[in-house]
Amino acid sequence: MKFLAGVDEVGRGPLAGDVVTAAVILPANHGIEGLADSKALSSRQRENLYADITSRALCWSVARCSVAEIDRFNILQATLMAMRRAVMALSQQPDYVAVDGNRLPQWEYRGEAVVKGDGRVECISAASIIAKVVRDAEMKALDITYPGYGFAANKGYGTPQHLEALARIGATPIHRRTFAPVREQLELVQSGLFD
C-alpha cells in the first residue's frame, strides 16, 4: 500500500457552522512528532503541527458541508459527504483510506473505519488537526460577524453563553435549524408571532 489517506471531521456537535473534514496522505518517513487526536492537543500545539503537516504531507485537502446541507441531509449524511469531498480533492488518489469513527462513506475507495483512529493512526491524527485548525479559525472569524454568541471561544457548541445568546438575540444564518436548541428557539419565535 503506497498511498494511505487518513480522514477525520470536526464540527458534528455544534449548533452553528459547517462540518469540516480533512484528508491527508503522509510520506512514510514524514518526521512529524507529536501527532495525536486534535482534542488532546493545545491550540498552540495544533497550529504548530498544522504547519508541519501541510508542509510535509504528500498531499492534503479540506472539504465541508454547509449548514444548509446539514439541515437538509442530517449531520451524519453531511459528514460522510464532506469526507468523500475531501478524499476526492486530494491531488494523489489513495490506495486505501482510514476514516476516524465507525462508518465509511459510500465510495469506490478501499478502506476501513477506525474507532478512535484520530489517536491511533498518524494520517487520521493529521487530518484531525488540519480540520480542527481550519474550523476553529472560521468560527473565530464568524464571531466578529455574529457577536454575542461567543463563537471564538465555544466554536458553535451549545455552551451556556451560546444558549443564552440564542434565546436573547435569536438564530443567525449559520445556525443549524434542525438541531434541537435552535429549532426550539425558532418555534418560540414563530408561536410568539401569532399570539
Side-chain angles (χ1 to χ4, degrees), residues 1-82:
M1 180 173 26
K2 191 173 180 187
F3 299 113
L4 169 64
V7 181
D8 201 4
E9 57 73 28
V10 175
R12 278 184 68 168
L15 306 179
D18 296 348
V19 63
V20 175
T21 59
V24 180
I25 299 177
L26 294 173
N29 301 312
H30 55 74
I32 303 170
E33 294 189 21
L35 289 172
D37 174 2
S38 65
K39 296 182 289 298
L41 301 168
S42 71
S43 177
R44 177 170 293 208
Q45 288 173 315
R46 284 192 298 268
E47 288 172 16
N48 289 338
L49 283 164
Y50 176 91
D52 284 348
I53 295 162
T54 55
S55 64
R56 297 185 195 186
L58 289 176
C59 59
W60 60 276
S61 68
V62 173
R64 69 192 57 251
C65 263
S66 67
V67 170
E69 290 173 312
I70 293 167
D71 285 339
R72 180 175 177 196
F73 298 110
N74 79 42
I75 188 60
L76 173 61
Q77 293 308 314
T79 301
L80 295 173
M81 287 167 53

Side-chain angles (χ1 to χ4, degrees), residues 7-9 21 76-88 97-114:
V7 181
D8 201 4
E9 57 73 28
T21 59
L76 173 61
Q77 293 308 314
T79 301
L80 295 173
M81 287 167 53
M83 287 179 168
R84 179 178 174 80
R85 290 171 182 169
V87 174
M88 292 178 72
V97 183
V99 175
D100 182 54
N102 60 6
R103 302 281 292 264
L104 276 178
Q106 289 187 339
W107 56 21
E108 60 277 14
Y109 304 103
R110 290 177 42 236
E112 66 185 283
V114 183

